[in-house]
Amino acid sequence: HMDISLYEQQVEELNRKLTFQRSRYLKEEYEHYRITDMQYSVLSYIQQHPCTTIGSVAKALHTDAGNMSALCKKLEHSGYLIRKKREQDERIVELCTSQSGALCVQTISRKIQQHYEEQWKQYNYKDKEIIVKGLEKLNQFLDAIMRKENMR
């Protein structure tokens, strides 16, 4: 049976590669819109959950609110994000994508879809199942680690 540290190296390496791969094949789009992979994830999440809060986005993307706040300010300066105070409660700041933010998400997600469609055709049902199940397992695994961390 495989040594734990070997598994650990493989999981970490794969995780790094996955993140790197996405930012690599979207390099042109990211450069064109002058955003990072993480900023795209933020915009994409806000696009799917309009009028969300910094706290919600931070939680969904596994980062702290301070980090997220700075990231959102940057996106607002770039004109991709609109931050407005909630009418019922001035303390709560709501986030929405601007028109150019929405266009950015739309363009990049279409590009992702294209890549997937072309590639997906080359795999049979069984392989597709293995890919999805494997990623789900990896996500559960990393999620369990995160939960333990948060309990400390």
Side-chain angles (χ1 to χ4, degrees):
H1 89 145
M2 213 195 285
D3 187 23
I4 289 194
S5 65
L6 205 58
Y7 274 124
E8 186 191 344
Q9 285 168 357
Q10 282 189 308
V11 169
E12 281 306 301
E13 182 61 20
L14 272 170
N15 218 4
R16 251 196 314 277
K17 277 184 181 162
L18 287 171
T19 309
F20 173 70
Q21 293 286 20
R22 182 168 93 158
S23 50
R24 197 176 60 170
Y25 76 71
L26 294 171
K27 193 172 184 292
E28 285 173 28
E29 282 75 16
Y30 288 160
E31 282 173 2
H32 177 265
Y33 288 105
R34 294 190 176 88
I35 59 169
T36 63
D37 196 50
M38 183 60 167
Q39 288 174 319
Y40 169 70
S41 297
V42 170
L43 281 175
S44 177
Y45 181 85
I46 294 168
Q47 175 82 348
Q48 288 161 15
H49 306 84
C51 297
T52 188
T53 64
I54 286 174
S56 304
V57 183
K59 197 174 173 199
L61 300 179
H62 307 290
T63 183
D64 61 290
N67 246 340
M68 190 50 68
S69 184
L71 217 147
C72 288
K73 278 203 177 95
K74 215 175 254 175
L75 286 168
E76 187 182 26
H77 285 303
S78 305
Y80 294 138
L81 204 58
I82 298 162
R83 290 155 37 111
K84 51 177 194 280
K85 287 184 163 60
R86 187 172 288 173
E87 282 178 26
Q88 307 91 313
D89 187 345
E90 291 277 302
R91 293 164 305 179
I92 299 173
V93 177
E94 294 182 327
L95 307 168
C96 297
T97 51
S98 65
Q99 261 182 314
S100 57
L103 184 68
C104 167
V105 170
Q106 198 183 358
T107 307
I108 295 175
S109 68
R110 199 173 288 147
K111 176 90 186 238
I112 294 172
Q113 221 175 346
Q114 269 175 334
H115 279 294
Y116 272 68
E117 279 169 13
E118 287 166 22
Q119 205 49 44
W120 230 197
K121 283 187 202 121
Q122 299 168 36
Y123 289 87
N124 62 34
Y125 176 76
K126 191 136 182 63
D127 284 342
K128 290 176 186 172
E129 281 285 286
I130 291 170
I131 290 170
V132 174
K133 289 269 189 294
L135 286 170
E136 275 173 0
K137 277 277 184 238
L138 177 61
N139 193 37
Q140 285 166 8
F141 176 79
L142 296 171
D143 217 38
I145 293 175
M146 283 300 298
R147 278 202 302 277
K148 279 204 186 85
E149 268 305 300
N150 292 340
M151 282 175 184
R152 286 184 183 170

